[in-house]
Amino acid sequence: RAVKDGRTCERAAGRTKREPCTGRQLQVHDGWTGLHAVPLIVHWIAPITDGVGCFPEGISRDSDMSVGFVVFTAMAVVQPRRGVEILLDSEKHFGCGVVRVNHGDRMCWRVRKLEHLRDRIIPFFDSHQLKTRKRQEFESLRKVVRWMAEDRHLTSDGLELIRRVVE
């Protein structure tokens, strides 16, 4: 059941899973435990990401790094300013990222922190699969994030492995 202040939702099936919640709820019947509330953002974010999202990755020179390069990973969704509410709901639901002006009247929700990508974004898109070419971008991001979590980007061999996936 949803808590009115929008901070948490509880899942059915006799177990409680706490997760961020926006307050806008959809009643879903899962066939086993009956009706329960699911944040609407869960149903919006994958199709919107398929349309206007991206998973940018890159490697840039940085003499301060031990291997002379830094690896960048992110997930981003862009909307016109009038659609900023979906971005703010996404930021609130996942509990990560930032919503900023992108260009002109466009706004962007961007997640860059490795732990947030690994622990929140990737598991979400594993269970809510993308349908377009964005799926391939996501698969690439998943590999790079996994390798970075294993510190492979800190070695020349690992950096070369990442470079082949990114380019």
Side-chain angles (χ1 to χ4, degrees):
R1 105 175 9 137
V3 176
K4 292 243 183 214
D5 67 3
R7 289 190 188 149
T8 61
C9 289
E10 294 177 3
R11 293 267 184 189
R15 61 190 150 86
T16 301
K17 180 178 180 183
R18 299 183 77 73
E19 60 185 67
C21 180
T22 64
R24 279 188 285 256
Q25 302 286 309
L26 177 66
Q27 293 295 316
V28 176
H29 192 286
D30 65 10
W32 290 284
T33 61
L35 284 173
H36 60 278
V38 175
L40 279 175
I41 193 66
V42 168
H43 299 283
W44 295 344
I45 196 62
I48 288 172
T49 303
D50 256 332
V52 293
C54 63
F55 300 94
E57 307 158 315
I59 298 175
S60 203
R61 283 198 184 281
D62 187 339
S63 59
D64 292 337
M65 301 303 288
S66 60
V67 290
F69 293 90
V70 64
V71 178
F72 294 99
T73 57
M75 182 265 189
V77 178
V78 177
Q79 287 285 293
R81 191 176 296 274
R82 70 180 182 277
V84 72
E85 192 171 316
I86 189 74
L87 302 178
L88 294 170
D89 283 353
S90 299
E91 177 186 35
K92 185 174 182 181
H93 175 76
F94 287 97
C96 62
V98 63
V99 175
R100 292 198 171 132
V101 173
N102 191 30
H103 297 297
D105 77 333
R106 292 184 309 241
M107 302 295 289
C108 180
W109 171 54
R110 183 172 290 120
V111 179
R112 289 187 175 159
K113 190 171 184 178
L114 184 67
E115 293 81 12
H116 292 164
L117 291 168
R118 182 191 65 213
D119 300 338
R120 300 175 190 185
I121 301 302
I122 290 173
F124 177 82
F125 285 106
D126 280 341
S127 22
H128 300 85
Q129 294 201 351
L130 299 167
K131 309 285 188 228
T132 67
R133 67 175 173 77
K134 303 287 172 65
R135 181 75 189 159
Q136 293 155 339
E137 291 179 24
F138 169 74
E139 295 293 341
S140 175
L141 175 83
R142 182 196 297 137
K143 286 179 190 174
V144 172
V145 166
R146 185 181 70 232
W147 293 334
M148 289 177 70
E150 296 168 354
D151 290 335
R152 290 190 186 185
H153 64 297
L154 303 176
T155 68
S156 296
D157 290 342
L159 192 61
E160 183 56 35
L161 183 66
I162 292 169
R163 186 185 322 270
R164 280 187 249 144
V165 170
V166 169
E167 292 177 350

